[in-house]
Amino acid sequence: NSFVTRTNTCGELRSAHVGQKVTLYGWVQYQRQGLFLVLRDFQGLTQIIIPQDEAHSHVKELLSSAPVESVVRVTGIVSPRPLGQENPKMPTGDIEVKVETAEILNSCKKLPFEIKDFIKKSEALRMQYRYLDLRSFQLQSNLRLRSRMVMRMREYLCNLHGFVDVETPTLFKRTPGGAKEFLVPSREAGKFYSLPQSPQQFKQLLMVGGLDRYFQVARCYRDEGSRPDRQPEFTQIDIEMSFVDRAGIQRLIEGLLQHSWPEERALIMTPFPSMTYEEALAEYGTDKPDTRFGMKIMDISDVLRGSDIHFVQNALSYPHGSIRAICIPQGVRYLTNKDLESLKESAKSQFNQEIMEIIRRPDGSLKSLLTKFLGEKEQSELIQALNMQEDDVVLLAAGEHKQVCSTLGTLRLLSANLLEAAGLALRDPTAFHFLWVVDFPLFLPKAENPTELESAHHPFTAPHPSDASLLNSDPTKVRSQHYDLVLNGNEVGGGSIRIHSAEQQRFVLEEVLKEDSEVLSHLIEALEFGAPPHGGIALGLDRLISLIVDAPSIRDVIAFPKSFRGRDLMGNAPDYVTPEELEPYHIQVSWPLEEKETKKN
């Protein structure tokens, strides 16, 4: 209560304050028949008793007529609630304030929606009136937890480990590869700035400059269009260190998260487990596995290798062919035929992959189109390999290794959602399972032209020391020194040890990626002036906080987020500007015909 004219907040009064004269400020949460109202501020609720005697009739009239969400000041005496009227659900439930004087500081007009967490509101309406939505308990709680965590992260990095907090520019130039960047026009004809998708180049240049340890709560920008649960502007905890290896970065981040972790959440244990990219793909079908539950992908190629099943033999005849499966526990009991058909349809539509189901009956026998091709010995081996219990359902896929694993990885998550919707507790919502994924490929074939390569992450990632010789001969087999941090099946961080040799950086850009290295000449030149070995990481703050508070969307942990389509519905941005405003930037807008007609009308 320092610096302000209130004596207390609405959430702090207790029985120990009985008899004290207090002044409270807040919003009218609720008012009942001119007898009492509930006053709310950022810290909580207090019950206010409206005086009924003639001497205070003006106070009664004032407070009885105050619309919900009006801002008021009340002064009165803290009193114990009458016996039996205490409210154990409210921290201030043992007391009430008997008003002596009051003032309406600002009356509230009719609200577009009720400000209560349990009232359903469309997201568009919430975004349009975000300043009202921010009054809800849940958003207040989310933003305050976010603030506390960031403060503790600063404390850990700067005070305990000597990091330097540096702000890097947001007006820069285009970076080759990676996500699409927003362009900002300049007054030089034909020249544009670019909003950086991360401070990647600057933090490397800070290492060349000898700062040794850098961090920043960085604003980043990506023009990714309408992607679900993504934001065109987002925040990351950006970190870079000199003379460090992967293990050093991992220890730093584990310590950082332990130090800043909210006390009210389940404890996290370090060190975090680690697995390679190949292991993650083989066992979970994804590079961001949710390890809170089992249902791992099992390789049953050897079990079926001797069978006469045509599609099995066809799949195994290819160089990377395999037969894999997932076992859905109690699938018969919890999944309907419609559920199983929807899983098969997902595999077909998303991956063009056929799925075969196998059910273990209560008598121990198998029900499947495959059983007529399998002898008793093979069926027994299959049950043993998959550890099938009664009423389990197995989904089997045959084909190219990566496609089969990706398909089953997706079905694993879809099955988990269906099981939980049917009442089977599978993933503990209070558990936090962190995981490091390492040894990613350095390059991947381009989707639009598989004969060309692109960086799996970005072009500044160093190759694995054991694979550096393959850069010339077979770059597709080179592993990178990249590492991802995964939490409950979501990527919450990613980083790498960087290339610090100008010669190697130029080779990767020009010879492997076929990029024009001139656009990065400043960075390559900097590497020639005694650049130290260095590496770093960035944690996605929005995603991390949303997982900690179990928010349905990252928009629920950002004060003023953009909509699904990247629009600010409150301020109506982006918006049109006049030709006169565009003139200094040498830009003319070429309107599509239908928009021309709309603007005319």
Side-chain angles (χ1 to χ4, degrees), residues 26-27 66-73 103-109:
W27 285 264
V68 169
E69 291 302 311
S70 295
V71 183
V72 301
R73 173 194 59 78
E103 180 185 1
I104 295 181
L105 301 172
N106 210 330
S107 185
C108 181
K109 70 176 188 177

Side-chain angles (χ1 to χ4, degrees), residues 25-31 37-42 44-45 63 65-73 104-117 121 129-137 140:
Y25 289 80
W27 285 264
V28 177
Q29 171 97 349
Y30 173 76
Q31 193 262 117
L37 60 82
V38 174
L39 198 63
R40 183 195 75 244
D41 67 7
F42 71 95
L45 307 168
L63 294 180
S65 61
V68 169
E69 291 302 311
S70 295
V71 183
V72 301
R73 173 194 59 78
I104 295 181
L105 301 172
N106 210 330
S107 185
C108 181
K109 70 176 188 177
K110 183 174 170 57
L111 293 162
F113 54 80
E114 283 191 73
I115 300 171
K116 291 175 182 169
D117 286 314
K121 308 156 288 248
Y129 295 96
R130 188 61 168 185
Y131 45 84
L132 294 179
D133 200 30
L134 285 170
R135 294 182 191 175
S136 71
F137 170 79
Q140 289 265 329

Side-chain angles (χ1 to χ4, degrees), residues 449-469:
N449 186 358
T451 60
E452 294 181 6
L453 295 178
E454 62 184 0
S455 296
H457 291 94
H458 58 59
F460 314 115
T461 302
H464 196 288
S466 308
D467 299 348
S469 60

Side-chain angles (χ1 to χ4, degrees), residues 428-440:
D428 182 353
T430 64
F432 296 97
H433 285 221
F434 282 98
L435 171 75
W436 289 107
V437 180
V438 301
D439 290 350
F440 285 83

